[in-house]
Amino acid sequence: MPTKVEMEKIVSLCRRRGFIFPSSEIYGGLSSCWDYGPLGVELKRNIKQAWWRAVVQERDDMVGLDTSILMHPQTWAASGHLEEFADPLVECKSCHLRWRSDDLEGNNCPACGGELTESRLFNLMFKTSMGPIEEEANIVYLRPETAQGIFVNFQNVLNTTRKRLPFGIAQIGKAFRNEITTGNFIFRSREFEQMEIEFFVKPETDKKWFNYWLEERRDWYVKLGIKKESLRLRQHTKKELAHYARECYDIDYLFPMGWAELEGIANRGDFDLVQHAKYSGKSLNYLDEETKEHIIPYIIEPSAGVDRSALAFICDAYDEEPDKEEIRVLLHLHPTLAPIKVAVLPLSRREKLVTVAKKIYADLRRQWMVQYDDAQSIGRRYRRQDEIGTPLCVTIDFQSLEDEQVTIRERDSMNQIRVPINELKNTLQAKLRGERFDTQPLWTTKG
Ligand code: ATP
């Protein structure tokens, strides 16, 4: 059985080391909104970059897109969000807290035991108005998913890229949902980021592509270090299926609060293109050059959350080891994801050492995110880097002045090797790509 880490430890580490802060904290915070600090922003950028690389850069059959958050209001009529994107809400008559009724176990308020109102549907889209006059005609919505920006650009992409089926469009961007119950740190927030693929296929090939993407997406997490046993695939029951979906699986991760969705993979059939064609009056057909027939492609959608991925990667990487009198806390983050790739640590602040160390630092940072740390003992500095997941530390000592060699120390094994300064960059590169300090590769993917 995989082991779960306590959420308090994750929250505390993220706060203490500058990964994630509550939003607008000096004003008491804003419920379920989060700010990514200096390390969090790097982690998030690395996740997005790894995803983009895997699904766009390294593939012939995918292109990217970056569409606007505000869209024509008809989009949401066509997509079904105005009608369907709602959760059943009940309110406690005593303490006035609101709950999702399908989440509740009993018939009373979980907070105070009070009587609950009848359940009513609550639409999760945030409304705002366009232009200076606030009136019904000017209502626009903050998008609750990035997918619709892709569907409405289907013809634009077809016309400008000459892609043929099967092909996909990928997008990373913010989405907003006025969730009734939030919580579990960044797992469910009201503002979050999604990484979505809409993969267009010939209708009769949908099953094959659906299975392909299930495998492909699960493998992506595993290649980036998530333990296989911390992931599972869960099929949606008929009752659970969204209005647009023919079939859907969640890739679940064993979060501190239990198994929960990390990414959803849905076969959306032709629902979206049919709906947008109907509401816009524009043809969203595809001409199959082999059969000369116009068809409406089916869509396979792998939809992931950047924030949930960040949480899963941190939880999975978190570890504690006994270390003399203390405990060594470390994040076994894959080098591709680690916010800082290398730390440069001069053994003392003596000028001669500092000159060499600063030169190395200046050289390395042109290639990677590198930290320079000369405060406190070397042991403490190693621990600080372990805790934020830095894979490699470079130590410059007095001997370095004589033999022009430095020590590289690896986070997980704590093994050390000594290398000539003029070979340092190449050696670091090889180590970050997975070359082991002994013989086996440490990590299996490119960084
Ligand atoms: P849940 O059932 O947990 O509310 P969902 O099925 O509504 O999620 P989807 O609509 O499938 O989620 O969205 C795709 C992905 O976007 C999710 O797998 C998740 O990673 C992310 N996501 C959705 N809602 C949120 C949220 N409120 N906060 C953070 N991430 C979210």
Side-chain angles (χ1 to χ4, degrees):
M1 257 309 271
T3 46
K4 286 187 287 176
V5 49
E6 291 150 45
M7 189 69 101
E8 296 85 77
K9 288 190 175 173
I10 300 296
V11 176
S12 151
L13 172 71
C14 285
R15 214 191 131 48
R16 189 169 72 243
R17 299 308 313 273
F19 278 90
I20 298 161
F21 310 117
S23 160
S24 341
E25 197 177 9
I26 59 167
Y27 292 104
L30 178 67
S31 163
S32 73
C33 293
W34 300 93
D35 295 343
Y36 286 77
L39 294 178
V41 67
E42 296 299 333
L43 173 65
K44 228 169 136 189
R45 275 161 47 96
N46 293 341
I47 292 172
K48 290 188 273 185
Q49 218 166 49
W51 184 86
W52 196 263
R53 181 176 178 143
V55 308
V56 180
Q57 189 181 329
E58 293 184 349
R59 296 184 66 106
D60 290 333
D61 57 359
M62 294 273 296
V63 291
L65 210 57
D66 183 9
T67 68
S68 66
I69 287 172
L70 301 175
M71 298 181 69
H72 193 290
Q74 277 294 85
T75 309
W76 310 111
S79 68
H81 280 83
L82 283 176
E83 288 259 312
E84 305 272 351
F85 196 58
D87 282 338
L89 173 86
V90 287
E91 187 172 325
C92 173
K93 290 181 183 170
S94 314
C95 72
H96 298 289
L97 280 180
R98 290 169 169 194
W99 307 93
R100 256 174 83 157
S101 56
D102 54 351
D103 275 352
L104 291 181
E105 284 186 357
N107 295 323
N108 294 82
C109 172
C112 73
E115 199 187 330
L116 298 169
T117 60
E118 285 288 304
S119 160
R120 67 184 168 87
L121 283 178
F122 171 76
N123 195 295
L124 300 185
M125 282 198 293
F126 278 97
K127 261 187 207 171
T128 185
S129 50
M130 193 99 162
I133 303 160
E134 270 184 53
E135 58 182 19
E136 197 64 19
N138 299 336
I139 285 179
V140 287
Y141 298 90
L142 302 189
R143 67 179 176 200
E145 61 179 28
T146 66
Q148 301 301 326
I150 299 181
F151 303 139
V152 301
N153 276 290
F154 173 67
Q155 280 299 352
N156 285 338
V157 173
L158 256 191
N159 295 341
T160 51
T161 64
R162 307 184 140 261
K163 287 275 172 222
R164 311 309 302 162
L165 293 184
F167 77 94
I169 305 178
Q171 164 153 249
I172 301 177
K174 288 266 185 176
F176 304 81
R177 296 182 188 179
N178 202 358
E179 303 274 7
I180 300 168
T181 34
T182 54
N184 290 319
F185 196 30
I186 52 172
F187 177 82
R188 191 185 305 286
S189 42
R190 295 197 169 103
E191 173 178 341
F192 54 97
E193 239 176 322
Q194 289 187 311
M195 306 184 280
E196 295 200 294
I197 297 169
E198 305 302 332
F199 201 77
F200 301 87
V201 303
K202 291 189 181 173
E204 63 280 9
T205 62
D206 63 337
K207 192 75 202 148
K208 179 183 104 186
W209 283 106
F210 185 78
N211 292 335
Y212 168 85
W213 280 108
L214 267 186
E215 289 301 313
E216 194 69 13
R217 292 301 307 143
R218 184 173 51 178
D219 285 355
W220 184 77
Y221 294 102
V222 174
K223 277 190 203 148
L224 286 172
I226 299 242
K227 296 176 209 72
K228 265 200 179 122
E229 62 271 23
S230 308
L231 293 171
R232 72 170 189 196
L233 294 178
R234 191 186 68 82
Q235 185 173 20
H236 280 208
T237 60
K238 279 248 148 41
K239 223 175 113 204
E240 262 180 291
L241 274 184
H243 61 279
Y244 52 76
R246 292 170 168 247
E247 190 176 11
C248 186
Y249 272 78
D250 288 343
I251 300 179
D252 283 352
Y253 175 74
L254 187 59
F255 285 100
M257 66 284 183
W259 289 103
E261 176 181 338
L262 179 57
E263 169 160 353
I265 295 164
N267 178 352
R268 302 181 68 118
D270 61 6
F271 178 84
D272 306 282
L273 293 179
V274 166
Q275 286 294 101
H276 285 301
K278 187 166 130 198
Y279 278 73
S280 68
K282 302 280 183 326
S283 157
L284 298 178
N285 289 341
Y286 171 88
L287 175 65
D288 186 337
E289 277 163 356
E290 281 165 29
T291 62
K292 304 286 175 228
E293 275 176 348
H294 286 275
I295 59 166
I296 306 208
Y298 274 24
I299 297 174
I300 308 300
E301 175 193 69
S303 171
V306 181
D307 313 79
R308 279 190 200 176
S309 298
L311 183 59
F313 284 121
I314 295 175
C315 290
D316 221 68
Y318 186 91
D319 202 3
E320 292 177 0
E321 282 177 1
D323 172 38
K324 295 182 196 140
E325 301 94 73
E326 295 178 6
I327 287 176
R328 174 165 97 111
V329 173
L330 73 161
L331 290 184
H332 298 280
L333 284 174
H334 191 285
T336 302
L337 301 182
I340 306 294
K341 311 294 182 207
V342 181
V344 174
L345 316 174
L347 205 62
S348 98
R349 286 181 177 161
R350 291 263 196 82
E351 202 186 325
K352 277 187 175 167
L353 274 194
V354 168
T355 311
V356 178
K358 283 265 159 89
K359 200 160 161 257
I360 291 175
Y361 175 51
D363 186 31
L364 298 183
R365 68 194 297 193
R366 288 190 300 169
Q367 190 155 345
W368 298 293
M369 283 302 296
V370 181
Q371 244 180 29
Y372 184 90
D373 187 2
D374 62 4
Q376 299 179 310
S377 76
I378 192 73
R380 287 238 175 159
R381 283 183 264 166
Y382 283 149
R383 295 298 172 270
R384 276 204 288 272
Q385 296 300 329
D386 291 343
E387 204 181 35
I388 62 170
T390 306
L392 302 169
C393 291
V394 174
T395 313
I396 296 100
D397 55 25
F398 290 101
Q399 211 188 319
S400 308
L401 301 177
E402 282 160 27
D403 64 5
E404 297 199 350
Q405 295 200 353
V406 291
T407 302
I408 307 177
R409 179 257 196 195
E410 195 264 328
R411 175 195 69 203
D412 296 358
S413 62
M414 294 194 275
N415 285 345
Q416 303 195 356
I417 51 170
R418 200 128 173 109
V419 294
I421 293 174
N422 61 11
E423 279 172 31
L424 178 62
K425 223 168 170 175
N426 284 344
T427 313
L428 290 173
Q429 179 119 3
K431 300 294 173 205
L432 288 171
R433 288 227 164 124
E435 184 186 283
R436 224 183 153 83
F437 276 67
D438 39 69
T439 48
Q440 290 291 308
L442 251 186
W443 299 286
T444 48
T445 47
K446 305 167 243 179

